[in-house]
């Protein structure tokens, strides 16, 4: 069965829901972009003060916090943790690159 074979009202509802999903996806992308703007600033601050790119204690607190938020939002906490771990890994990679660039630019 294809969407052409289903009732017009069902197809309209399907399209309405998909438009909502598309809008939510756009919002998620924009929120991630804002988050990465902030983490880039953190990376520059860490590099300027020779702090390590990763902060395991902070990451642990964030995982606990995000799992609690996920539970209250009726989202699988394990999924939320996997998502945060993915994002944090990318942030750490950015911080390492920023630190390398900073060390190259200052000759240290």
């Amino acid at each position: 069965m294809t969407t052409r074979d289903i009732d017009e009202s069902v197809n309209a509802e399907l399209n309405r829901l998909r438009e909502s999903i598309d809008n939510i996806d756009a919002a998620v992308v924009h929120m991630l972009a804002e988050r990465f703007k902030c983490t880039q600033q953190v990376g520059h601050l860490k590099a300027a003060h020779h702090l390590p790119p990763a902060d395991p204690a902070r990451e642990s607190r964030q995982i606990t916090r995000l799992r609690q938020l996920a539970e209250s939002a009726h989202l699988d906490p394990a999924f939320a943790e996997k998502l945060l771990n993915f994002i944090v890994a990318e942030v750490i990679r950015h911080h390492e690159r920023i630190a390398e660039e900073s060390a190259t630019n200052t000759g240290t």
Side-chain angles (χ1 to χ4, degrees), residues 7-91:
D7 182 86
E8 190 175 310
S9 66
V10 172
N11 201 29
E13 180 67 2
L14 185 60
N15 286 334
R16 184 190 69 76
L17 291 168
R18 286 177 173 166
E19 286 176 13
S20 291
I21 291 167
D22 292 349
N23 289 336
I24 293 166
D25 288 346
V28 167
V29 167
H30 288 284
M31 291 300 295
L32 283 172
E34 285 300 311
R35 188 185 197 286
F36 279 107
K37 285 178 187 174
C38 290
T39 60
Q40 291 290 326
Q41 292 175 9
V42 169
H44 287 286
L45 187 62
K46 285 181 171 184
H49 295 279
H50 307 287
L51 298 170
D55 184 345
R58 161 102 172 130
E59 293 160 27
S60 178
R61 289 190 307 272
Q62 284 297 92
I63 287 170
T64 299
R65 180 178 163 272
L66 197 68
R67 287 183 68 91
Q68 291 169 347
L69 288 169
E71 284 181 25
S72 67
H74 306 289
L75 180 68
D76 180 6
F79 170 77
E81 183 173 346
K82 287 177 193 175
L83 178 62
L84 182 65
N85 284 333
F86 179 77
I87 292 169
V88 167
E90 184 68 8
V91 168

